[in-house]
Amino acid sequence: MCVELLTYADLSARLGISREAARSLARRRRLARSRSADGKALVSVDLSELRYTPRPRRGRRADPIDASLAKIEAFKIEAFKAEVARLEMVAANTRADFERERERADRLTIELMQAAAETAAANAWAARLEDEVAVLRTGRQAGGAIAGYAARRLGHLAAAIVHADRAACR
């Protein structure tokens, strides 16, 4: 029976526990305590009789409600991630559709401009042909025979019609 006066720090070092655990142990076992000259608490303890073995540490058990809430939150996060991925795919598809329609509109604009130019050229040819037909109908040309002039103008008119037809087919 060797009684020793130990501080809580010394007791914790001997037993291999924390300083607070040593203090709690001294209180629980009602060991005699006193103060040293420097103001530290001293505990009278007989280590041979103490027979203290620290319990293995157990992890705190999680609250089942917190665990289920965490699972629900994890499911929600996964659902949101899936929704974000789906929306990104929809946005990419919509963007591709937009680009395709934009290219189509550009092509149609070019075709429309070409058609407008061809229409203007055809209208010019039609106006010229109408003028030639009007001249042929009147049949009056100063300084020449009407029949010869009409035949010549008819040939020019046929050539102009063929030329306009070829231009329209291009």
Side-chain angles (χ1 to χ4, degrees):
M1 268 216 233
C2 180
V3 177
E4 297 181 43
L5 287 174
L6 301 173
T7 62
Y8 291 130
D10 294 336
L11 181 61
S12 68
R14 291 259 184 104
L15 297 176
I17 57 176
S18 70
R19 195 169 146 295
E20 291 301 317
R23 186 168 173 242
S24 177
L25 177 68
R27 232 181 300 146
R28 267 195 325 266
R29 299 272 176 108
R30 295 188 177 126
L31 299 175
R33 291 178 284 179
S34 62
R35 293 261 180 214
S36 67
D38 60 355
K40 291 186 179 180
L42 296 174
V43 180
S44 330
V45 62
D46 184 6
L47 291 174
S48 61
E49 288 184 13
L50 189 58
R51 289 191 191 116
Y52 176 76
T53 55
R55 293 184 193 171
R57 291 186 177 211
R58 287 189 294 169
R60 290 185 181 172
R61 294 178 65 188
D63 186 16
I65 294 175
D66 288 341
S68 64
L69 287 177
K71 287 180 184 177
I72 290 171
E73 291 298 319
F75 286 130
K76 282 183 182 179
I77 289 171
E78 290 302 316
F80 288 144
K81 285 180 182 178
E83 183 68 12
V84 166
R86 186 188 68 81
L87 290 175
E88 285 174 347
M89 185 176 292
V90 167
N93 290 339
T94 303
R95 182 68 179 177
D97 290 343
F98 169 76
E99 292 297 329
R100 199 173 326 107
E101 289 299 319
R102 184 170 152 194
E103 290 172 4
R104 184 172 162 254
D106 290 343
R107 282 194 310 270
L108 289 175
T109 301
I110 291 169
E111 288 178 18
L112 183 62
M113 291 172 63
Q114 289 173 348
E118 290 173 4
T119 303
N123 285 339
W125 275 103
R128 183 172 163 215
L129 292 176
E130 284 176 5
D131 290 343
E132 290 181 14
V133 168
V135 168
L136 288 175
R137 280 193 185 148
T138 57
R140 296 195 174 108
Q141 182 71 18
I146 294 177
Y149 180 72
R152 208 170 56 236
R153 290 300 291 162
L154 190 57
H156 287 298
L157 182 60
I161 290 172
V162 169
H163 182 69
D165 187 41
R166 286 183 184 163
C169 287
R170 286 187 225 159

